[in-house]
Amino acid sequence: MKGSVTAMPDKLIAVWNALPYMLGGSLVTMGVVAGAMLIGLFGGIPLAVGQVYGKPALKRIIGIYIWFFRGVPLLVLLFLFYFGLFSLLDINLSAFTVAVIVLGLISAAYQSQIFRGSILSLPEGQLKAARALGMSDFKAVHLIVLPQALRLSIPAWSNEYSIVLKDSAVTYALGVAEIMARTHFVATRTYQHLPLYMAAGLIYLVLTYAGTKGLRILESRVRIRGYSHS
Amino acid sequence: MESAGFVSISEMEPILRVENVRKRYGKREILKGVSLSIRRGELKVLIGPSGGGKSTFLQCINYLVTPDEGDIWLEGRHIDHTHKRELYRYRQQVGMIFQDFNLFDHLSAVQNIEVSLIHVKRMDRKPARERAMAELERVGLRGHADHYPAQLSGGQKQRVSIARALAMDPKVMLLDEPTSALDPELIGEVLSVIKDLVANGMTMIMATHQIGFSRALADEIVFMEDGRILERGPPLKILSDAKCERTREFCSKITELYGEAD
Ligand SMILES: Nc1ncnc2c1ncn2[C@@H]1O[C@H](COP(=O)(O)OP(=O)(O)O)[C@@H](O)[C@H]1O
Ligand SMILES: [Mg+2]
């Protein structure tokens, strides 16, 4: 009885001492999320453009891609790529890299649907006008369609960010030293599950808030003048 | 036309010649063999009931809609629209004005004009800006260069879209009911810009129901219905003394609707 009372501060001190280590995990988490969102962005745009303007065969291939990456659970995909595909191909990638790639490929599937919706919501007359001026389809999409579609996509993109952020916790299963993995590591040694996981949850909430806030600022920065979004 | 290269292209030669354009959507034939030639500096007005195929025909002329059949010659040169580069070059020479303006919403008035100068004509930014400002001046909107489409009235938007087309130095302009989406009090400012184009010798094919304008300025009025040209001729003849019963009916109806004045 007496022993546990004197032990409490020691444990809390252990938690306190673990905080920098856990916060370090948030850098890893942000690395995974940033990498995945970028892959998702640069993958999602061509997928969306192909799905809207492509030939039927291309549309079908993209459809299969999206169906696959939206349909298979994240954990299955992580293991499939990390233990399965890459080791079969004898490609030696770190758990971090595989996490970024897998989350990125999944996000590309989801982001493509965001961009596709935005592209379809634009009045198609603008594309006609661009063509009538002698623009190639590529230029018309690049100069006229995408700048508007991407603006419209920011709110949904912000949502996708918070999903990827939360999904990144699953990559702990590969041993990526992100927030969740580090929290788990400290918890199994200090047995302070409640404060530790609360702290971890808080870190995720702060990261979600910061990201969505940043995107909201971006959204108002790039807002087209005189244009009412509602 | 095989001898076209042999004869020098005189003023009498059509600048644009469109032969036997056919288009079907599914089972419905929208254009049933439409032909039209226009000489330099002429204004031809297309009239006819809604759904008659005017917009489709105009869009076939610059291949925004690909016709199933038909041939087009610009200044005696046959256009091969399957050849991408040739198609893009051809479209630069044929300006198009749409009923609902189709300005690029994310670009200011001056940027709307610049974007094709820079990226299609490959002009440097500075001369492109100067040219764009000059075109805005021409349509009386120099002071609105930095306004975005959402900040412009319908009439102003249409004038910007005309400036945008003119900046490409088109040889022919196609205008698809340029005033139909406008509030009545804004029609005048757009028509007056188009009148200036006529006065400056621009070659134009225009679908419109502005009867007063057409009577005063058109070289020919073409009556289109159900995918065919039923009748064509000088404005006075078509508007008041048409041979075809349908043309007469339609003309008296739009004269009633849109009035004598413009
Ligand atoms: N993309 C399309 N698909 C199917 N039908 C079309 C399409 N575009 C036009 N049409 C049809 O073609 C006909 C002619 O239309 P249009 O050229 O717009 O006539 P107008 O400009 O004289 O009113 C209409 O019946 C219209 O419904
Ligand atoms: Mg029409």
Side-chain angles (χ1 to χ4, degrees):
Chain A
M1 198 63 181
K2 208 176 177 194
S4 75
V5 172
T6 51
M8 271 297 275
D10 288 348
K11 291 253 173 83
L12 282 179
I13 285 166
V15 171
W16 179 253
N17 287 340
L19 261 185
Y21 175 69
M22 283 170 61
L23 286 172
S26 66
L27 289 181
V28 178
T29 293
M30 287 317 287
V32 171
V33 172
M37 290 300 284
L38 281 177
I39 292 176
L41 177 65
F42 290 107
I45 290 172
L47 287 176
V49 170
Q51 235 190 356
V52 177
Y53 302 114
K55 298 224 158 72
L58 180 64
K59 287 183 184 173
R60 206 163 311 128
I61 292 168
I62 294 171
I64 290 170
Y65 176 93
I66 291 167
W67 172 65
F68 179 80
F69 280 99
R70 290 203 306 186
V72 180
L74 172 59
L75 196 55
V76 176
L77 285 172
L78 285 171
F79 282 16
L80 177 69
F81 276 73
Y82 190 59
F83 299 116
L85 193 62
F86 288 131
S87 59
L88 183 76
L89 297 173
D90 210 16
I91 304 171
N92 219 338
L93 295 175
S94 69
F96 177 86
T97 310
V98 174
V100 169
I101 291 172
V102 171
L103 282 171
L105 294 176
I106 296 168
S107 191
Y110 282 99
Q111 289 191 42
S112 75
Q113 296 312 289
I114 296 174
F115 302 142
R116 176 170 168 265
S118 301
I119 290 172
L120 291 175
S121 77
L122 295 175
E124 76 170 329
Q126 291 187 48
L127 189 62
K128 266 191 183 165
R131 287 196 172 125
L133 288 163
M135 284 189 202
S136 63
D137 290 355
F138 180 83
K139 277 185 188 151
V141 168
H142 166 70
L143 297 168
I144 307 303
V145 174
L146 286 179
Q148 297 182 63
L150 292 180
R151 277 181 172 89
L152 293 174
S153 298
I154 296 174
W157 211 75
S158 167
N159 187 47
E160 171 67 7
Y161 160 78
S162 66
I163 291 171
V164 173
L165 175 63
K166 288 188 286 181
D167 278 356
S168 72
V170 178
T171 66
Y172 116 97
L174 297 186
V176 179
E178 43 69 70
I179 299 168
M180 173 62 195
R182 294 188 184 203
T183 310
H184 181 72
F185 180 81
V186 179
T188 52
R189 273 150 193 79
T190 60
Y191 301 104
Q192 296 300 305
H193 297 280
L194 186 66
L196 282 169
Y197 284 112
M198 274 175 62
L202 203 64
I203 295 173
Y204 281 110
L205 286 175
V206 168
L207 292 179
T208 308
Y209 178 79
T212 50
K213 187 82 186 166
L215 285 168
R216 185 130 343 130
I217 291 168
L218 176 69
E219 190 187 348
S220 63
R221 280 274 165 80
V222 301
R223 175 162 292 157
I224 298 163
R225 260 194 281 153
Y227 208 81
S228 64
H229 292 264
S230 61
Chain B
M1 253 298 130
E2 267 62 40
S3 61
F6 186 68
V7 187
S8 77
I9 296 162
S10 69
E11 288 299 301
M12 292 313 288
E13 200 78 12
I15 184 167
L16 182 76
R17 189 172 149 227
V18 184
E19 282 290 332
N20 192 35
V21 168
R22 290 175 182 276
K23 178 70 190 176
R24 55 169 64 242
Y25 283 117
K27 283 216 170 97
R28 272 191 65 206
E29 196 165 28
I30 305 298
L31 296 175
K32 300 166 180 169
V34 182
S35 302
L36 190 75
S37 289
I38 187 165
R39 290 198 295 264
R40 207 178 296 275
E42 278 188 325
L43 167 66
K44 299 216 169 180
V45 165
L46 289 180
I47 61 171
S50 164
K54 301 181 296 296
S55 298
T56 307
F57 178 58
L58 286 173
Q59 294 188 48
C60 279
I61 296 180
N62 64 1
Y63 296 101
L64 285 182
V65 170
T66 312
D68 300 326
E69 262 180 65
D71 290 281
I72 296 176
W73 290 262
L74 181 69
E75 295 184 313
R77 271 195 43 176
H78 184 255
I79 306 303
D80 175 10
H81 72 276
T82 59
H83 188 287
K84 285 259 179 312
R85 268 176 197 287
E86 187 174 333
L87 175 64
Y88 300 150
R89 246 185 58 77
Y90 167 70
R91 282 183 180 154
Q92 289 176 49
Q93 298 172 292
V94 180
M96 179 133 202
I97 303 301
F98 300 87
Q99 184 173 337
D100 39 11
F101 331 124
N102 293 340
L103 290 185
F104 308 132
D105 283 333
H106 63 306
L107 300 177
S108 66
V110 69
Q111 289 169 335
N112 257 276
I113 303 170
E114 268 175 355
V115 65
S116 46
L117 293 179
I118 295 169
H119 295 281
V120 179
K121 287 218 156 190
R122 305 217 158 278
M123 280 170 75
D124 288 331
R125 278 171 193 276
K126 198 157 171 287
R129 171 62 53 114
E130 280 162 12
R131 178 66 199 268
M133 289 306 289
E135 292 303 339
L136 280 177
E137 174 103 64
R138 178 157 155 185
V139 299
L141 288 172
R142 202 186 164 83
H144 291 68
D146 294 325
H147 285 53
Y148 282 74
Q151 300 170 312
L152 298 171
S153 73
Q156 291 169 334
K157 282 188 219 180
Q158 195 59 296
R159 282 148 70 197
V160 172
S161 97
I162 292 171
R164 179 174 71 179
L166 289 174
M168 300 302 281
D169 293 316
K171 291 179 172 145
V172 179
M173 295 255 280
L174 311 171
L175 301 93
D176 191 2
E177 303 202 33
T179 59
S180 295
L182 298 175
D183 293 336
E185 72 271 20
L186 300 177
I187 291 175
E189 63 187 71
V190 172
L191 283 184
S192 96
V193 167
I194 298 172
K195 278 179 192 160
D196 282 349
L197 295 184
V198 176
N200 287 316
M202 177 57 76
T203 311
M204 293 189 280
I205 305 173
M206 174 170 169
T208 186
H209 292 146
Q210 295 296 320
I211 288 304
F213 170 91
S214 307
R215 171 172 302 153
L217 295 170
D219 294 287
E220 186 177 69
I221 292 185
V222 176
F223 178 71
M224 239 182 114
E225 185 177 58
D226 198 21
R228 281 199 186 84
I229 292 178
L230 288 194
E231 193 168 0
R232 58 176 101 201
L236 286 178
K237 174 105 179 83
I238 297 292
L239 293 174
S240 30
D241 186 25
K243 282 200 299 280
C244 168
E245 171 70 31
R246 282 295 301 138
T247 315
R248 275 201 303 277
E249 251 175 58
F250 181 80
C251 288
S252 69
K253 209 159 55 192
I254 54 168
T255 309
E256 210 174 282
L257 270 174
Y258 296 88
E260 289 297 304
D262 53 16

